[in-house]
Amino acid sequence: MTFSLLSFLEDADIRDNVPCQIKKFSEGNTIVLEGTQGMDVFLIKSGTVHILASMTLANEQQKDKGIAKLSANEVFGELAIFDNNTRSAMAVAASDCEIVVINGAALLAYMDDNPEQGYPVLNFFLKQIVQRMRSSTIRANMIMEFYLQEQAK
């Protein structure tokens, strides 16, 4: 049986302990800004979201680079509950979206207090993080291969 974070959040005990709200975003609207503080976790209920990271080019020009396109039942912002760091990327609605905004501090406290119920959530987050790390490794290898080929010319 596949774990559904949305179904998990609809459980009465979870609703009582982990505040959530559904927000709607129109295509092009910013959901999260890179570099901001926050512990909320975002679950895409419907629509698609672009995850963008800012980079500064050699000429000091700022450029946003797309690093992921996420869709229904995927999460973003989950890293903040584990390291309490600033947001490492920006999230922008790639289409009209419904996003479940989950209070990350309350979710983390619930998982700590209820490890059996929290384990599937942690496992869900871990699987998504690992998938993104694997994709990043593939992209980094492609960039390195391109760079080495250019250096060999």
Side-chain angles (χ1 to χ4, degrees):
M1 182 159 89
T2 303
F3 174 78
S4 166
L5 185 57
L6 189 57
S7 296
F8 173 83
L9 295 169
E10 291 170 348
D11 179 89
D13 186 45
I14 306 302
R15 279 197 319 261
D16 291 343
N17 291 286
V18 182
C20 297
Q21 59 180 317
I22 296 175
K23 291 189 175 181
K24 294 182 180 193
F25 294 89
S26 297
E27 181 178 349
N29 285 111
T30 299
I31 302 167
V32 173
L33 284 172
E34 183 176 359
T36 58
Q37 208 53 54
M39 281 192 64
D40 288 340
V41 177
F42 303 87
L43 170 65
I44 304 169
K45 186 173 181 184
S46 66
T48 54
V49 173
H50 278 141
I51 304 300
L52 307 165
S54 239
M55 54 183 4
T56 304
L57 303 176
N59 63 1
E60 301 296 317
Q61 181 184 4
Q62 283 287 109
K63 192 136 182 120
D64 291 330
K65 176 68 179 134
I67 55 176
K69 187 173 184 179
L70 307 178
S71 55
N73 299 315
E74 291 188 275
V75 295
F76 58 95
E78 74 283 1
L79 294 180
I81 68 171
F82 299 114
D83 68 2
N84 200 25
N85 222 331
T86 58
R87 303 290 184 182
S88 59
M90 175 171 56
V92 176
S95 67
D96 292 348
C97 298
E98 280 190 314
I99 306 291
V100 181
V101 182
I102 306 162
N103 181 304
L107 178 61
L108 191 58
Y110 184 85
M111 292 189 313
D112 284 344
D113 294 343
N114 303 279
E116 283 194 30
Q117 290 86 357
Y119 174 78
V121 177
L122 189 59
N123 189 38
F124 175 76
F125 288 163
L126 186 59
K127 284 180 179 177
Q128 290 205 3
I129 292 167
V130 167
Q131 180 183 14
R132 291 176 190 154
M133 286 177 63
R134 288 187 191 280
S135 294
S136 293
T137 300
I138 290 168
R139 281 194 300 261
N141 285 342
M142 288 170 45
I143 292 167
M144 183 57 77
E145 184 179 325
F146 177 75
Y147 172 77
L148 292 173
Q149 287 174 358
E150 288 297 310
Q151 292 300 308
K153 290 182 178 178

